[in-house]
Amino acid sequence: MHVPDGFINAPVSAVAGVVAAGAVAVSLRGARRELDEKTAPLAGLVAAFIFAVQMLNFPVAAGTSGHLLGGALAAILVGPYTGVLCIAVVLLMQGILFADGGLTALGVNITVMGVVTTVVAYALFRVLTKVLPPTRRSTTVASFVAALVSVPAAAVVFTLIYAVGGTTDVPVGKVLTAMVGVHVLIGIGEAVITALTVGAVIAVRPDLVHGARGLTAPLKLRVDGELVDAPAATPAPAPAAARSTRKVWAAGLAAAVVLAGFVSFYASASPDGLEKVAADKGIDEKVQEHGAADSPLADYGVKDISNARISGGLAGVIGVGVTVAVGSGVFWAVRKRRTPDEHRTAEAV
């Protein structure tokens, strides 16, 4: 789904850049209400984890692969505004350091992969959690469905952008059919990864999952034949170890390093959904060389290291480290700008 330079013309790419910049600006403001002392350090980790998992292309059809987009996962774990910022950080690191996703197409990629997936997934997730019982299982199911739908939704929006600013004359109907078809299959993989990750975090620390807040329904008592809310009990202070996010952060970072540094070597080498459709339909006729093609980490390998396993693994570990550092810096800066009113609003939620 990473759109390279040359697929979309300059005027439409510029408009998409304005849209993406506006979405990031709104998200920076909204994230101030979402980020607190627990979620701020974890948001950078979520970005790094998504970066790592995006390196794990999985086969979805003959000669085609897919990878996590991550919008649904980020929105459910740390909130929709922070989720958009997570994906934006990942795409920026991928474009600048790894020549993955065009630089002039960065606005298109943030709009399609970041904004659309996050908004669609979180909106559907919220609807489902209101309809389903407030349980951990229901939250995991809702995350599965939301992630599944978000991927073909992003494919539809890319097709609409192509219809307006595509640089080739391929019929839009053919592009839409091919894009949605393959990305429905990719969406299944997205849904499995998202549900497994959300379910795993909920099982260990549900208090760290933005979308899992308020899972427990209020206790009811029958008084004179009527059900009334039971008086809230005063919770005992949690031990420092339970409140700390250090163990979760360390475990998540270790998992990201292992995935990017070792497991990524076994990822599918087949082109992803967009690359396959572009090659089959001729969308890539005017693709341009990436502006960062000379980067020492281009194509997820370290320049001058001939061993593919070492080169790819080292590039993945570097990517995880840079992403978690940049992401954490951004989110800590956003949290520090939170006003007292936003602080009280976050505590009330």
Side-chain angles (χ1 to χ4, degrees), residues 127 244 282 333:
V127 170
S244 174

Side-chain angles (χ1 to χ4, degrees), residues 220-228:
K220 298 286 186 179
L221 296 177
R222 186 174 297 277
V223 179
D224 296 331
E226 296 183 1
L227 289 177
V228 298

Side-chain angles (χ1 to χ4, degrees), residues 9 72 74 91 119 131 158 183 192 202 206 212 226 241 265 284 290 308-309 312 330:
N9 62 34
L91 292 172
V119 171
V131 174
F158 165 78
H183 283 89
V192 171
I202 288 177
E226 296 183 1
F265 180 77
D284 59 354
H290 199 285
R309 184 187 295 270
V330 168

Side-chain angles (χ1 to χ4, degrees), residues 93-102 290-295 297-300:
M93 294 300 99
Q94 291 172 332
I96 294 176
L97 297 179
F98 298 92
D100 189 9
H290 199 285
D294 294 331
S295 167
L297 298 173
D299 298 323
Y300 297 94

Side-chain angles (χ1 to χ4, degrees), residues 159-175:
T159 305
L160 293 176
I161 294 175
Y162 171 80
V164 177
T167 56
T168 56
D169 295 326
V170 180
V172 175
K174 291 184 178 180
V175 176

